[in-house]
Each structure stands twice: as structure tokens, then as C-alpha cells.
Amino acid sequence: MTDIRPVSTGNAPTVGFSTGTAAPLSQAIVHGDTIYCSGTGPLDPRTRTVVSDDFAEQVRQTLTNLVAVVEAAGGSRESILKCTCYVRDAANFPVFNAVYREFFAGNPHFPARTTIIATPHRAGVQVEIECIAAVVRS
């Protein structure tokens, strides 16, 4: 059987779906050389509260949290292959694109991407992103 391992890091938030419950998911799963990250949002890793009402700041924090999980799994920002992005309001799509472009500007490529307009499960959250990445081998 191929090696499958869960990933957990305190550098990105893990929250329960109801008060006092643990989330029924892993922050990421590594299967072979591929990292499958659960969706993450704009929460401060320590307080688990939404970092700001500002949409651009929420996108930056969400991407920062996502990369923290990818790195804990053995990948890097540059090894992100595909992102699936959930944005609450279509009116924020131009801002989302600008922040996303800035965040990945140093990469040799932009990840493949799908963006969906959807309502996140937590009040105040305006964006959630999940990804697939490659493990970086030295």
C-alpha cells in the first residue's frame, strides 16, 4: 500500500465545526508525492478568529495559512499545482485576482485554478481555498 499520512501544523488554523468539537478532517493528506490540502480560511492560527473584515487581508491570510500547511507536508509555495477557491461575493473577484497574482508573483508558474462563488460556512469568512501540491524532494 502507498504511504498515506495526515499533516497537522499549528502554523495554520484548525477549527471545529461546532463549539467544542474537533474538525472531522486533516489539514492535509500526503499520498506518495502529492499533498491534498483541506480548505482553509482567513483565521489567525493562534486565536482562530477572522483576521479582518477587509477582503484583501482575508485573501492574504488564507493563502498564508494554505502555504503553512503545504510546507508542513513537505511542499512549498512553488510546488502548489492547483487551487480551488471559494469567494463569497462575485463583486470581490477583481480584488481576489489582484491579491492572488501578487501572492504567487515570485513563482515560476501560477497554479491551475478554479474559482467558485459560494457562501462559506462561518460568519465573516469571505474566502476559502484548498489546493493540491507536490512534495519537494531534495
Side-chain angles (χ1 to χ4, degrees):
M1 181 165 159
T2 305
D3 180 41
I4 298 173
R5 67 179 169 87
V7 174
S8 179
T9 178
N11 293 328
T14 302
V15 297
F17 290 95
S18 304
T19 303
T21 64
L25 54 85
S26 297
Q27 285 177 303
I29 293 289
V30 177
H31 178 254
D33 288 336
T34 307
I35 304 163
Y36 300 89
C37 290
S38 292
T40 191
L43 305 181
D44 178 281
R46 288 166 301 287
T47 66
R48 295 191 269 172
T49 59
V50 177
V51 294
S52 172
D53 290 333
D54 178 72
F55 180 72
E57 184 58 31
Q58 285 201 17
V59 175
R60 281 186 204 93
Q61 185 65 51
T62 299
L63 288 165
T64 299
N65 290 342
L66 190 69
V67 169
V69 175
V70 169
E71 289 174 345
S76 68
R77 179 186 309 224
E78 295 79 14
S79 77
I80 296 175
L81 305 171
K82 172 138 188 348
C83 291
T84 303
C85 310
Y86 303 89
V87 176
R88 180 181 293 271
D89 186 346
N92 285 328
F93 194 63
V95 173
F96 179 80
N97 276 332
V99 174
Y100 188 92
R101 176 181 301 281
E102 176 186 300
F103 190 84
F104 286 108
N107 279 25
H109 64 275
F110 286 103
R113 186 179 99 186
T114 300
T115 304
I116 301 161
I117 304 304
T119 304
H121 69 279
R122 184 171 176 171
V125 171
Q126 300 178 59
V127 62
E128 182 174 342
I129 302 174
E130 64 181 51
C131 78
I132 299 171
V135 172
V136 177
R137 300 288 180 202
S138 0

